[in-house]
Amino acid sequence: MLRTIRYAAIAAALGSAAQAAEFTWAETTDPQTMDPHAVNSAPVLGFLNNVYEGLVRRGKDMSVEPALATAWEPIGAGEGWRFTLREGVTFHDGADFTAEDVLFSYQRASDEASDTRSWFAAVSEVNVVDDYTIDIMTSAPNPIFPSSIANWMIMDSGWAEANNATLPDKESGNYATLNTNGTGAFRVTAREPGLRTVLEPFDGWWGEAEHNVTRAELTPIQNPATALAALLSGDVDYINPVPIQDVARLAENPDVNVIQGIEARVIMLGFPHEADGLKYSAETTDANPFADPRVRQAVAHAVNVPAILQTIMRGNAEEVSQLVSPAMNGFSTSLADRPAYDPDQARALLAEAGYPDGFSFGLKCPNDRYLNDESVCQAVTGMLAQVGMRATLDAMPVQNYWPELRADNYDMYLLGWSPGTFDAEHPIRFLAATPNEEKKLGSWNFGGYSNARVDELLPMVQSEIDADKRQGMIDEITKILQDEVAYVPLYVQPLVWGTRSNIDLTQRPDNFFILRWVTVN
């Protein structure tokens, strides 16, 4: 089992003599949209990091570095942050980048229509100082704010207004759903959702090119075996993921490289905390067993995580007890142990909760979002059945999956979460805070989990500068989430990429594929 994270599994060996070339790649999930503020998901944000840019970005080692801002500093005693913007930057259509675009992008990304609005829960106002200086004020000191906006992408205000795309529309879509105008190293030249997306280098990019790619094409291939066949035949240069069961065989092939690591993403089971009854039960429609923490604890004991990791993940993942992995800042080392696999204890808990014969329910799961997601859900279904929790599995493409969760059409669901800040505060804000549109909290807390103490501690965690005090607060929140079984964390997802042997690239633990680090030799 892998015990370390390799931030750069293959470091790019770049040189001026590298021959320019075309590059093709395949992933199981096509980005749902080209709008950087419409959908807060890794397939969208990871792809668009090649096209749009933020004030800051993450480097190969995940450190925060300058992008459209060249410097930032706190204002006063923690009232906010002043960002000095990069001059001479243009968007892909030639328009100049200024502070007005930052202000517009804040207003757009923090609007109710945006799926990224929770990123700005701490922001009280944004003020343009001059064309290349902007102040982002916070309601309390927020030492992690710059790192929290690494995936906030800046749009051209004039372009958005001219094309009636001043706000994102993730339901019906608008011009920004299919078209882009960023400042990034690559620009989209063709977009056919579900079929192909073509990118070409942006000649006017402000940065120094670290690639030799003249044209890149993404083809979504949902079936991993089909993607693997395309890699082996040379039809594509890179695939993500490589089927776990094929890793050993592929590693022996001299024509390809296997790049392995551990992602920052925690895979977990979620529950309908607020629901009055189950939607997909044959007999328990007027009661919600999952509202009882003893039933949720029974789930935790019934799922044999070590068996899943051994059989489905082939030893390439690590079990986890929290909403973040041990590699993340804020991980609670004293709470590292997850519930033991104990079906007898699970049955006893169900009986104690009033369900000695168990009950039936519906489990929703994606089949093209996480590594072996449907197989994991099938295994979970079988394990829960052994203790009397009889799940009907409904697996579907992620494009249909998120609308189902947002419409509360589930009794239990599978979710993966990778903290964009690499800090434990991130999933607390998105997954554990009581949903509150006005405060921009809990936007991915589908089940409506709520705990007053968690809500009280979260702003304190966000503003505390003393590391030990902050960790103590996070530890308290983590214990509450574990005691109440707000979620059932299962494991940290592995990263397994495959490339042709002539490809150099960098694998980051956020599973973002950055095209400007690719060399075709």
Side-chain angles (χ1 to χ4, degrees):
M1 181 177 295
L2 294 170
R3 293 295 177 187
T4 60
I5 294 180
R6 282 169 280 173
Y7 289 116
I10 291 185
L14 303 171
S16 59
Q19 183 178 0
E22 295 190 358
F23 176 81
T24 59
W25 87 98
E27 299 198 10
T28 55
T29 304
D30 192 46
Q32 292 171 257
T33 178
M34 295 289 100
D35 190 325
H37 307 145
V39 177
N40 178 16
S41 72
V44 171
L45 299 178
F47 177 86
L48 290 179
N49 258 265
N50 295 299
V51 180
Y52 287 96
E53 294 176 299
L55 299 183
V56 301
R57 68 187 184 190
R58 292 194 180 275
K60 294 178 182 180
D61 62 354
M62 296 307 299
S63 61
V64 175
E65 60 185 33
L68 293 181
T70 58
W72 50 94
E73 59 183 1
I75 298 172
E79 288 91 349
W81 291 84
R82 170 162 289 183
F83 290 85
T84 302
L85 306 183
R86 191 178 298 276
E87 299 185 32
V89 174
T90 62
F91 289 92
H92 294 164
D93 67 353
D96 291 332
F97 159 72
T98 70
E100 289 296 334
D101 299 306
V102 180
L103 175 60
F104 167 78
S105 296
Y106 161 71
Q107 294 169 337
R108 190 179 193 274
S110 63
D111 190 87
E112 292 184 348
S114 173
D115 203 27
T116 62
R117 66 190 313 264
S118 290
W119 297 352
F120 306 97
V123 176
S124 56
E125 60 180 327
V126 175
N127 302 315
V128 173
V129 178
D130 56 43
D131 281 352
Y132 296 103
T133 310
I134 195 159
D135 290 345
I136 300 180
M137 312 306 292
T138 55
S139 54
N142 195 307
I144 65 170
F145 181 75
S147 67
S148 75
I149 57 169
N151 290 321
W152 171 36
M153 301 178 206
I154 305 303
M155 296 182 70
D156 175 15
S157 57
W159 178 83
E161 291 163 0
N163 291 292
N164 297 316
T166 54
L167 290 177
D169 188 340
K170 60 187 175 185
E171 302 299 334
S172 302
N174 57 28
Y175 190 78
T177 304
L178 294 174
N179 300 276
T180 65
N181 184 35
T183 60
F186 287 83
R187 59 189 182 91
V188 174
T189 58
R191 169 66 175 163
E192 299 176 57
L195 296 176
R196 69 177 188 130
T197 307
V198 179
L199 303 99
E200 294 179 3
F202 174 40
D203 293 337
W205 187 49
W206 57 267
E208 294 185 11
E210 296 183 59
H211 67 87
N212 66 342
V213 176
T214 56
R215 180 183 182 276
E217 182 169 328
L218 165 64
T219 302
I221 301 178
Q222 183 175 341
N223 188 313
T226 304
L228 180 58
L231 177 68
L232 291 172
S233 67
D235 290 338
V236 298
D237 298 305
Y238 153 71
I239 65 171
N240 178 19
V242 171
I244 287 291
Q245 64 271 18
D246 295 307
V247 169
R249 175 173 64 90
L250 203 62
E252 298 176 354
N253 189 320
D255 296 326
V256 297
N257 291 321
V258 179
I259 309 168
Q260 292 182 265
I262 295 292
E263 195 179 353
R265 187 175 309 281
V266 170
I267 304 297
M268 68 193 80
L269 296 171
F271 305 97
H273 294 271
E274 286 187 318
D276 295 325
L278 299 181
K279 290 182 177 289
Y280 300 97
S281 177
E283 73 289 323
T284 313
T285 57
D286 59 350
N288 177 14
F290 294 119
D292 190 322
R294 293 171 294 186
V295 174
R296 303 194 295 269
Q297 188 69 46
V299 172
H301 285 300
V303 178
N304 189 344
V305 174
I308 290 175
L309 300 189
Q310 185 61 37
T311 59
I312 298 176
M313 295 300 174
R314 306 295 176 98
N316 290 284
E318 297 178 351
E319 61 182 77
V320 72
S321 62
Q322 303 169 33
L323 302 186
V324 293
S325 76
M328 300 298 103
N329 185 53
F331 179 82
S332 298
T333 55
S334 62
L335 300 169
D337 294 335
R338 70 176 317 281
Y341 171 59
D342 190 341
D344 290 335
Q345 179 67 8
R347 295 186 191 96
L349 285 165
L350 287 174
E352 184 181 331
Y355 300 97
D357 299 321
F359 56 91
S360 61
F361 66 99
L363 170 61
K364 289 287 175 77
C365 182
N367 60 16
D368 63 351
R369 176 62 191 92
Y370 312 118
L371 189 62
N372 292 341
D373 43 14
E374 184 173 6
S375 296
V376 169
C377 285
Q378 288 171 344
V380 168
T381 298
M383 292 168 182
L384 293 178
Q386 294 297 313
V387 301
M389 287 184 277
R390 302 175 295 279
T392 298
L393 176 60
D394 184 11
M396 64 192 71
V398 73
Q399 186 171 357
N400 307 114
Y401 187 63
W402 299 136
E404 287 288 283
L405 296 194
R406 295 202 178 279
D408 296 328
N409 290 330
Y410 62 86
D411 294 328
M412 184 192 291
Y413 61 90
L414 187 79
L415 180 68
W417 195 260
S418 177
T421 59
F422 275 55
D423 187 278
E425 177 273 342
H426 192 271
I428 296 170
R429 173 164 35 111
F430 281 93
L431 304 181
T434 301
N436 186 312
E437 283 290 327
E438 183 179 350
K439 294 182 178 180
K440 305 169 187 172
L441 297 172
S443 59
W444 285 67
N445 182 357
F446 298 118
Y449 171 78
S450 180
N451 180 282
R453 181 58 176 163
V454 171
D455 293 340
E456 179 184 10
L457 285 168
L458 176 57
M460 297 166 65
V461 167
Q462 292 170 330
S463 61
E464 182 56 62
I465 297 175
D466 186 288
D468 292 337
K469 290 181 180 179
R470 186 176 190 270
Q471 187 61 54
M473 297 174 192
I474 293 175
D475 290 346
E476 182 178 349
I477 292 174
T478 300
K479 190 171 190 315
I480 291 171
L481 298 181
Q482 289 184 343
D483 289 346
E484 297 190 346
V485 200
Y487 296 87
V488 174
L490 302 175
Y491 56 88
V492 187
Q493 177 166 285
L495 283 176
V496 189
W497 295 3
T499 72
R500 299 292 298 176
S501 59
N502 64 324
I503 303 298
D504 290 329
L505 48 74
T506 295
Q507 182 186 78
R508 292 196 326 198
D510 58 0
N511 203 22
F512 282 16
F513 171 63
I514 306 300
L515 191 54
R516 59 186 168 86
W517 295 331
V518 171
T519 302
V520 182
N521 297 306

